[in-house]
Amino acid sequence: MTQFMKLLLAGTITGMVMTTAAIGTAAAAGPENRITILYDAFGKDASMRKDWGFSALVEIAGKRILFDTGDDRDIFAANVKAKNVDLTKLDFVVLSHRHGDHMAGLAHVLSVNPTVKIYAPKEGFGIFGSSLPSSFYRKAEALPPDMRYFDGKPPEVMTFGSAWQGANFELIDKTTEIVPGITLIALVSEAPGTRELKELSLAINTPDGVVLVVGCSHPGIDKIVEAAATINPKIHLIAGGFHLVAASDDAISKIVATLKDTFKVEIIAPGHCTGEPTFAALKQAFGDHYIYAGLGTSFATGSGAGAEQRRGEAPALDAEDLVSYRRLAAREDPFGLATWRRKLANRDN
């Protein structure tokens, strides 16, 4: 071999080594596609505080997205600290709906990142702020100006404040692709007790299929998945609350069958208001495609999700527990909200 060929070969090998090292470094430095549960009422991480509510950090497609913020500002802040999450480095926040157990921690987020973009449902006179055309109210032209709203000359559009004045809200009224490949699915609940409640779900279209993050699924987890399937019929993973915490066994069975057999969801990672009997039913149906998603858990969202991450939920409920849940589900007011409201009314009177 000539000296020239030796030098050429050495240069080629060196270049290959440098290129390989650069690729390895880039891969190591690149964002990891994962979901970390920051707020929930069950889990194994002793460094975090359990409470009813939901929050998750979604790191996917090069974005860091905070989905919901839990039920208590201080608990949320403590859990964020326990997981070393830097809230100053968020691309945006999504608030799924206006219930306190999903948005109370926003005060902490804004204390450290006051300008972060926040996507929330648009509702008339909503807590996140809103606007309505002034034509929404009837006019009485014959009244004197001092008896008329805005002296009879209202603005064309009336803007209403939010509970977090100055926060950078962008309100979503219909299903919207907010950045390429990331869509907020906007649906409305038709269920008694939450009728007309608007809710956003986060759908990320990945090479593995749609990764779907849901808050409480008040419009129905089946309807949310149906909407996600219009983006990509392959549903890779669903994480979050399915709102079946007081559902009957029959209702649970129907939803499990719909997710597994109709939509052929590949991986399931339920939490929050999904409900203990539903955890058990989903674990049985999905087997090693069920991811334990308790408080403090981090799990991969793409093809890197290995079998070691598909750990089972707690053991299935025994017969006595199931009887208790059936009794709860059969009540007209399973959470006692009507009784609570009556007590408040009597106290005020």
Side-chain angles (χ1 to χ4, degrees):
M1 182 182 294
T2 66
Q3 186 65 20
F4 173 77
M5 290 297 294
K6 289 180 180 178
L7 290 172
L8 180 62
L9 180 60
T12 302
I13 292 173
T14 301
M16 290 173 64
V17 170
M18 291 177 67
T19 301
T20 302
I23 292 172
T25 301
E32 183 178 355
N33 290 339
R34 64 184 177 183
I35 296 174
T36 302
I37 306 302
L38 299 176
Y39 211 105
D40 213 323
F42 73 104
K44 303 175 183 178
D45 192 330
S47 69
M48 302 180 77
R49 293 175 60 185
K50 300 180 184 70
D51 186 37
W52 189 267
F54 187 69
S55 177
L57 179 66
V58 182
E59 298 172 281
I60 194 168
K63 302 292 184 183
R64 298 182 82 246
I65 306 162
L66 180 65
F67 186 90
D68 284 343
T69 62
D71 183 60
D72 181 279
R73 170 182 176 153
D74 295 336
I75 294 175
F76 174 74
N79 288 348
V80 165
K81 183 178 180 180
K83 297 303 290 186
N84 295 314
V85 173
D86 187 351
L87 295 178
T88 68
K89 297 179 179 178
L90 296 174
D91 288 282
F92 53 87
V93 176
V94 176
L95 295 179
S96 62
H97 62 295
R98 57 177 156 80
H99 285 170
D101 57 333
H102 291 257
M103 66 179 189
L106 182 60
H108 176 67
V109 178
L110 293 173
S111 72
V112 297
N113 192 347
T115 62
V116 66
K117 171 67 72 68
I118 306 162
Y119 292 100
K122 183 177 182 180
E123 297 182 298
F125 300 98
I127 192 170
F128 307 118
S130 62
S131 61
L132 287 172
S134 57
S135 59
F136 85 89
Y137 69 88
R138 293 179 61 198
K139 312 296 192 294
E141 306 287 347
L143 285 176
D146 62 352
M147 290 184 67
R148 302 192 63 198
Y149 303 128
F150 303 97
D151 297 322
K153 300 176 182 178
E156 184 175 345
V157 175
M158 298 171 62
T159 302
F160 309 104
S162 80
W164 299 270
Q165 188 170 352
N168 184 16
F169 280 105
E170 183 168 332
L171 303 182
I172 302 297
D173 195 35
K174 60 182 179 180
T175 296
T176 304
E177 186 179 43
I178 53 175
V179 298
I182 299 181
T183 299
L184 292 178
I185 296 171
L187 294 174
V188 181
S189 172
E190 297 178 356
T194 58
R195 198 177 303 278
E196 298 184 357
L197 176 71
K198 292 187 177 181
E199 184 166 340
L200 302 180
S201 302
L202 178 66
I204 305 101
N205 196 11
T206 78
D208 294 308
V210 171
V211 171
L212 182 62
V213 184
V214 295
C216 253
S217 303
H218 289 290
I221 184 62
D222 52 339
K223 293 182 179 179
I224 296 172
V225 176
E226 183 179 19
T230 65
I231 300 169
N232 184 343
K234 184 178 181 183
I235 308 298
H236 177 61
L237 182 148
I238 308 175
F242 297 177
H243 205 64
L244 296 166
V245 68
S248 67
D249 289 347
D250 287 344
I252 292 170
S253 296
K254 289 177 182 177
I255 289 295
V256 171
T258 298
L259 296 178
K260 190 172 189 299
D261 301 327
T262 302
F263 292 110
K264 303 188 185 304
V265 175
E266 293 183 346
I267 303 172
I268 209 91
H272 183 43
C273 59
T274 300
E276 294 175 12
T278 314
F279 288 155
L282 288 168
K283 176 64 176 72
Q284 182 176 7
F286 282 83
D288 64 358
H289 288 260
Y290 179 104
I291 295 179
Y292 176 80
L295 179 63
T297 305
S298 289
F299 50 90
T301 59
S303 54
E308 71 278 2
Q309 291 184 313
R310 296 174 185 169
R311 300 188 296 272
E313 178 57 74
L317 299 182
D318 59 27
E320 185 177 349
D321 288 331
L322 287 174
V323 168
S324 297
Y325 268 88
R326 289 190 189 102
R327 287 173 180 167
L328 179 65
R331 289 166 51 184
E332 289 185 3
D333 184 26
F335 296 110
L337 293 178
T339 302
W340 174 70
R341 291 192 187 100
R342 283 195 297 271
K343 287 181 178 179
L344 283 180
N346 291 334
R347 184 189 67 184
D348 293 338
N349 295 332

